[in-house]
Amino acid sequence: MLELTDDTWLMVLTGAGVSAESGVPTFRDAGGLWEGERVEDVATPEAFERDPLRVWRFYSARREAAGGCAPNPGHLALAEAERRLGERFLLVTQNVDRLHRAAGNENVVELHGQLFLTRCAGCPRPPFEDRALYDEAVPECDECAAKGRRSYLRPHIVWFGEALSEAHFQRIGAFLDGGARQRLVFLQAGTSGAVYPAAGLVNEAAALGAETWLVNAEQPYNGSRFEHFHQGRSGEVLPRLLGVG
Ligand code: BJW
C-alpha cells in the first residue's frame, strides 16, 4: 500500500486507461481511438488545416460519448487522496474528459486541454465552454466576424507538435520543488507512457528523489523508470493501493 503520511507530497499522472472503466475509449489499445482514425488525420494542426470538418466530427463524437460517462472507483480514490493531502496533492492528467473534476479533484492540471472547451484558431479570445456537436459545418468565430475576419473555431486540445501551456509546467515544477523537501511520491496510472513531455515527468520527479509508483494494465513504454509496479485495472488497484476502497 502507498501510505499517505503527513509529510507526503503526491503527484499523480493519469492517462486514458484511468477513464477506460468509465467507458471512455483509450487511444492505443485494441479497439482504441487510433484504430478507427489515423492520428495524423485528426490530432495534428496540419489535419485541422487540411480538413477541419473531419477533425470536428472526431471531437464531436468524443464529446457525445464522454458526455454520458461518470467517474469510476479509480477517479474516486484519487479524489479521496486529494481530500486527505490538500495542497500536498497534484493531479496531472493527459485526459480531456473532465472525469477527475467530476470525481471531486480540484488540484488538476489538464496537460492536453479539455474536450468541452472551444477556442478560436485565429484570435486570442479565451477558450469557452461548449458542448455542441459540429457534424455538418465547421463553426466560425463571431468575435473575428465582428471585425470583418473569418476564423474557424477549434477544440481546446493540444495536438501533436503543439506546445503545452508554460503555466502548467510552472505549476508542476513548483509542486516538485516543494515536495522534494519532504516525502515526494510520483504515481503514474493508465497511460502508455509514449507521449512526451508527460512521459518524462517520472524522470524529473525521480531526479528530485521521488518514490515512483506505477499502476497500469500492462507494462508501459516508460515502465522501466518505476520502483513499484502494480499491474491491473486502475479502478480496482488505485482504491486498494491508496487504502481508500
Ligand atoms: C489501463 C486500463 C485500465 C487501459 N486500468 N490501465 C520526446 C521524444 C519523442 C517525441 C517527442 C518528445 N517530446 C515531444 C515529442 C513529440 C510528441 C510525442 O510525444 N510523440 C511521441 C508519440 C513519440 N509530443 C508532442 O507533440 C507534444 N507537444 C510537444 O512536445 O510540443 C513541443 C513544442 C514546443 C514548442 C513549440 C511547439 C511544440 C504534444 C502531445 C499532445 C498529445 N495529444 C493527444 C491527442 C489530443 C488529446 C485528445 O484528443 O484527447 O493526447 S495524443 C493522445 O495520447 C492523447 C493522450 O492524452 C496521449 C496519451 O495517451 P494515453 O493516455 O497514454 O493513452 P493510451 O491509449 O496510449 O494508453 C492507455 C494505457 O492505459 C495503456 O498502457 C493501457 O494498457 C492502459 N489501460 N485500460 C489501467 N482499466
Side-chain angles (χ1 to χ4, degrees), residues 103-238:
N105 281 112
E106 290 176 3
N107 295 340
V108 182
V109 171
E110 278 136 336
L111 268 189
H112 292 166
Q114 293 192 48
L115 189 55
F116 299 109
L117 292 181
T118 293
R119 71 171 193 262
C120 179
C123 78
R125 69 187 274 195
F128 58 91
E129 189 69 20
D130 187 13
R131 291 185 169 257
L133 309 181
Y134 302 106
D135 287 325
E136 302 300 329
V138 181
E140 296 190 15
C141 175
D142 49 7
E143 293 189 11
C144 284
K147 292 177 188 139
R149 292 194 308 261
R150 284 189 72 182
S151 306
Y152 286 139
L153 295 175
R154 57 163 282 178
H156 185 54
I157 297 282
V158 181
W159 288 323
F160 280 111
E162 292 189 314
L164 285 72
S165 157
E166 193 46 49
H168 289 339
F169 286 107
Q170 279 167 10
R171 191 165 174 203
I172 290 168
F175 187 90
L176 290 174
D177 287 343
R181 290 185 224 113
Q182 299 201 36
R183 177 191 176 219
L184 181 61
V185 179
F186 183 86
L187 167 62
Q188 177 179 297
T191 172
S192 54
V195 175
Y196 286 81
L201 284 179
V202 60
N203 299 334
E204 287 179 43
L208 291 168
E211 289 170 31
T212 52
W213 295 70
L214 174 65
V215 172
N216 219 66
E218 61 188 17
Q219 180 74 230
Y221 287 97
N222 65 352
S224 64
R225 321 278 165 80
F226 290 84
E227 298 161 297
H228 310 276
F229 180 22
H230 292 257
Q231 187 162 10
R233 288 150 63 97
S234 52
E236 292 160 13
V237 179
L238 284 173

Side-chain angles (χ1 to χ4, degrees), residues 16-79:
V18 166
S19 292
E21 288 153 81
S22 295
V24 181
T26 60
F27 292 90
R28 295 169 184 80
D29 293 315
L33 291 164
W34 294 159
E35 213 169 72
E37 291 279 5
R38 289 185 333 146
V39 59
E40 313 88 73
D41 291 334
V42 287
T44 63
E46 293 78 21
F48 190 71
E49 234 164 76
R50 211 166 40 238
D51 192 348
L53 186 55
R54 179 168 186 177
V55 173
W56 263 119
R57 284 186 174 142
F58 175 71
Y59 283 98
S60 296
R62 302 258 312 274
R63 278 184 179 178
E64 198 169 18
C69 294
N72 66 58
H75 294 106
L76 298 176
L78 294 173

Side-chain angles (χ1 to χ4, degrees), residues 93-107:
T93 187
Q94 299 168 87
N95 298 344
V96 298
D97 55 32
R98 281 201 193 148
L99 288 179
H100 287 302
R101 289 188 190 276
N105 281 112
E106 290 176 3
N107 295 340

